[in-house]
Structure formats: structure tokens, C-alpha cells
Amino acid sequence: MRKFFTSLFAFVLSGFAGGLVAQELAVATGAEEEYIVVFMVSMLVTLVATVVFFMAQFMADPAMAVAKVGKWSLIVFAMLLILLVGLVLYTDAGADVVRRDVPMMAGLILPGIVTIIVQWLFVRWRVGPVRTGFGRSGAKA
């Protein structure tokens, strides 16, 4: 049950953090209906990160698994967004089009990164340190 509630609270916290970042970016850039996509992607990243971090808690060494999942989630997310930015720059090479799309790209990148980092921090905190079960464990003989 602990793993389920850890993932549930991580989902709520990271969804709130990612949504808050997306909201602030929308207000700061004066965005309109194009930011609907940003909020949908933010929620999708939150769902995927929750499922992946939930599965990592069931590994033999959950602390190591959560660390690896966090690292690889950020790498995969960054690579997908680099491909997206490259696609935008490749198809629409005009400076005015790129300038118009920069707030949208920031809206896709920043909330996702915040979501993954909050998920990693919370799940890593709840998983705790690894206890091997041998050596000096603090028990007095």
C-alpha cells in the first residue's frame, strides 16, 4: 500500500508543480488557446512519469531503480523535445515563426522537466536508503 500512496502523492504533487509552471508561462507569454496543448502534454508527462516511477519501486533495489528511472526519463524527455524543436526549425525557418513558437516550446519543456524532477525527488525520498541486511545495522548483539 505504501508504494501506491507514494505514487498517488507524487502524481498529485508533480501534476500541481507542472501545471503551475505551465500556468505561469501562459500568463507571462500572453498565451491563448495554443497552450491547451501544453497543459495536455504536461498531464501526459505526469501520467507516464507516475507509472514509470511506480514500477521502479518494485525492483530489487528501489533506490537505484528510482535514480536510473529519473536520469533516463530526463534524457528521453530532452531528446524528444530536441527532436520537436529541430522539426520546428527545419520546417519553419522564418525568424517570425520561430519567435512565435518559442513560448510554446518553453511551455512544453519546462513543465515536463519540473514534473519529472518532482516525481523523482518525492519517490526517492519515500523509498529511502538501501538496507542490505548485513553488516552493522545498528542492532546491538
Short mmCIF file of all heavy atoms in Angstrom, two decimals, residues 4 6 13-14 25 38-39 59-60 67 72 76 79 82 93 96 116 118 126:
data_model
loop_
_atom_site.label_atom_id
_atom_site.label_comp_id
_atom_site.label_asym_id
_atom_site.label_seq_id
_atom_site.Cartn_x
_atom_site.Cartn_y
_atom_site.Cartn_z
N PHE A 4 1.74 2.39 -3.49
CA PHE A 4 0.60 3.00 -4.16
C PHE A 4 0.39 4.44 -3.71
O PHE A 4 0.21 5.35 -4.53
CB PHE A 4 -0.67 2.18 -3.92
CG PHE A 4 -1.90 2.83 -4.45
CD1 PHE A 4 -2.17 2.83 -5.82
CD2 PHE A 4 -2.80 3.46 -3.60
CE1 PHE A 4 -3.31 3.44 -6.32
CE2 PHE A 4 -3.94 4.07 -4.10
CZ PHE A 4 -4.19 4.06 -5.46
N THR A 6 2.58 6.39 -2.26
CA THR A 6 3.73 7.18 -2.70
C THR A 6 3.50 7.67 -4.12
O THR A 6 3.70 8.85 -4.43
CB THR A 6 5.02 6.35 -2.62
OG1 THR A 6 5.26 6.01 -1.27
CG2 THR A 6 6.20 7.11 -3.17
N LEU A 13 1.48 15.90 -6.50
CA LEU A 13 2.49 16.96 -6.33
C LEU A 13 3.13 17.35 -7.66
O LEU A 13 3.26 18.54 -7.96
CB LEU A 13 3.57 16.51 -5.36
CG LEU A 13 3.20 16.48 -3.89
CD1 LEU A 13 4.34 15.90 -3.07
CD2 LEU A 13 2.87 17.88 -3.40
N SER A 14 3.52 16.36 -8.45
CA SER A 14 4.18 16.70 -9.71
C SER A 14 3.19 17.29 -10.72
O SER A 14 3.56 18.18 -11.49
CB SER A 14 4.87 15.47 -10.30
OG SER A 14 3.92 14.49 -10.63
N LEU A 25 3.85 30.27 -17.20
CA LEU A 25 4.36 30.56 -18.53
C LEU A 25 3.26 31.09 -19.45
O LEU A 25 3.51 31.97 -20.27
CB LEU A 25 4.98 29.30 -19.15
CG LEU A 25 6.35 28.91 -18.62
CD1 LEU A 25 6.75 27.54 -19.15
CD2 LEU A 25 7.39 29.94 -19.00
N VAL A 38 -0.08 22.50 -24.32
CA VAL A 38 0.92 22.46 -23.26
C VAL A 38 0.35 21.81 -22.01
O VAL A 38 1.00 20.98 -21.38
CB VAL A 38 1.44 23.89 -22.94
CG1 VAL A 38 2.30 23.90 -21.70
CG2 VAL A 38 2.21 24.44 -24.13
N PHE A 39 -0.87 22.15 -21.63
CA PHE A 39 -1.48 21.55 -20.45
C PHE A 39 -1.75 20.05 -20.67
O PHE A 39 -1.59 19.26 -19.75
CB PHE A 39 -2.76 22.27 -20.07
CG PHE A 39 -2.51 23.61 -19.45
CD1 PHE A 39 -2.78 24.78 -20.13
CD2 PHE A 39 -2.00 23.70 -18.17
CE1 PHE A 39 -2.54 26.01 -19.56
CE2 PHE A 39 -1.75 24.92 -17.57
CZ PHE A 39 -2.02 26.09 -18.28
N MET A 59 11.37 -2.86 -7.95
CA MET A 59 12.64 -3.51 -8.30
C MET A 59 13.34 -3.99 -7.03
O MET A 59 13.00 -3.59 -5.92
CB MET A 59 13.53 -2.54 -9.06
CG MET A 59 12.96 -2.10 -10.36
SD MET A 59 12.77 -3.50 -11.47
CE MET A 59 11.66 -2.86 -12.67
N ALA A 60 14.32 -4.85 -7.20
CA ALA A 60 15.06 -5.41 -6.06
C ALA A 60 15.78 -4.32 -5.27
O ALA A 60 15.83 -4.36 -4.05
CB ALA A 60 16.07 -6.44 -6.55
N ALA A 67 16.68 6.15 -9.11
CA ALA A 67 17.71 7.04 -9.62
C ALA A 67 17.90 6.86 -11.13
O ALA A 67 17.99 7.84 -11.88
CB ALA A 67 19.03 6.79 -8.89
N TRP A 72 17.10 8.53 -16.80
CA TRP A 72 16.71 8.16 -18.15
C TRP A 72 15.42 8.85 -18.59
O TRP A 72 15.23 9.12 -19.78
CB TRP A 72 16.61 6.65 -18.30
CG TRP A 72 17.98 6.05 -18.39
CD1 TRP A 72 18.64 5.36 -17.43
CD2 TRP A 72 18.86 6.14 -19.51
NE1 TRP A 72 19.89 5.01 -17.87
CE2 TRP A 72 20.05 5.48 -19.16
CE3 TRP A 72 18.76 6.73 -20.77
CZ2 TRP A 72 21.14 5.39 -20.02
CZ3 TRP A 72 19.85 6.63 -21.63
CH2 TRP A 72 21.02 5.96 -21.24
N VAL A 76 15.36 10.92 -22.04
CA VAL A 76 14.38 10.63 -23.10
C VAL A 76 13.50 11.85 -23.37
O VAL A 76 13.25 12.21 -24.53
CB VAL A 76 13.54 9.39 -22.74
CG1 VAL A 76 12.34 9.24 -23.66
CG2 VAL A 76 14.40 8.14 -22.78
N MET A 79 15.53 14.41 -25.29
CA MET A 79 15.74 14.01 -26.68
C MET A 79 14.48 14.21 -27.53
O MET A 79 14.56 14.68 -28.66
CB MET A 79 16.20 12.55 -26.76
CG MET A 79 17.57 12.31 -26.17
SD MET A 79 18.85 13.35 -26.86
CE MET A 79 18.98 12.68 -28.49
N ILE A 82 14.17 17.91 -28.11
CA ILE A 82 15.17 18.39 -29.07
C ILE A 82 14.72 18.04 -30.49
O ILE A 82 14.86 18.86 -31.41
CB ILE A 82 16.56 17.81 -28.75
CG1 ILE A 82 17.12 18.49 -27.50
CG2 ILE A 82 17.51 17.95 -29.93
CD1 ILE A 82 18.37 17.85 -26.95
N ALA A 93 11.54 27.90 -41.16
CA ALA A 93 12.83 28.55 -40.93
C ALA A 93 12.70 30.06 -40.75
O ALA A 93 13.69 30.71 -40.46
CB ALA A 93 13.78 28.24 -42.08
N ASP A 96 10.24 35.06 -37.74
CA ASP A 96 8.99 35.42 -37.06
C ASP A 96 8.24 34.18 -36.57
O ASP A 96 7.63 34.19 -35.52
CB ASP A 96 8.11 36.28 -37.96
CG ASP A 96 7.78 35.59 -39.27
OD1 ASP A 96 8.58 34.73 -39.70
OD2 ASP A 96 6.74 35.92 -39.87
N ILE A 116 9.04 15.74 -13.89
CA ILE A 116 9.92 14.59 -13.70
C ILE A 116 10.79 14.77 -12.47
O ILE A 116 10.99 13.83 -11.68
CB ILE A 116 10.77 14.35 -14.97
CG1 ILE A 116 9.86 13.90 -16.12
CG2 ILE A 116 11.86 13.32 -14.71
CD1 ILE A 116 10.54 13.85 -17.46
N VAL A 118 10.16 16.60 -9.74
CA VAL A 118 9.34 16.47 -8.52
C VAL A 118 8.99 15.01 -8.26
O VAL A 118 9.06 14.53 -7.13
CB VAL A 118 8.07 17.35 -8.62
CG1 VAL A 118 7.10 17.03 -7.51
CG2 VAL A 118 8.45 18.82 -8.57
N ARG A 126 10.67 8.89 -0.43
CA ARG A 126 9.82 7.86 0.18
C ARG A 126 10.44 6.47 0.14
O ARG A 126 10.19 5.66 1.02
CB ARG A 126 8.46 7.82 -0.52
CG ARG A 126 7.63 9.07 -0.34
CD ARG A 126 7.05 9.16 1.02
NE ARG A 126 6.07 8.09 1.16
CZ ARG A 126 5.50 7.75 2.29
NH1 ARG A 126 5.80 8.38 3.38
NH2 ARG A 126 4.62 6.78 2.33
#
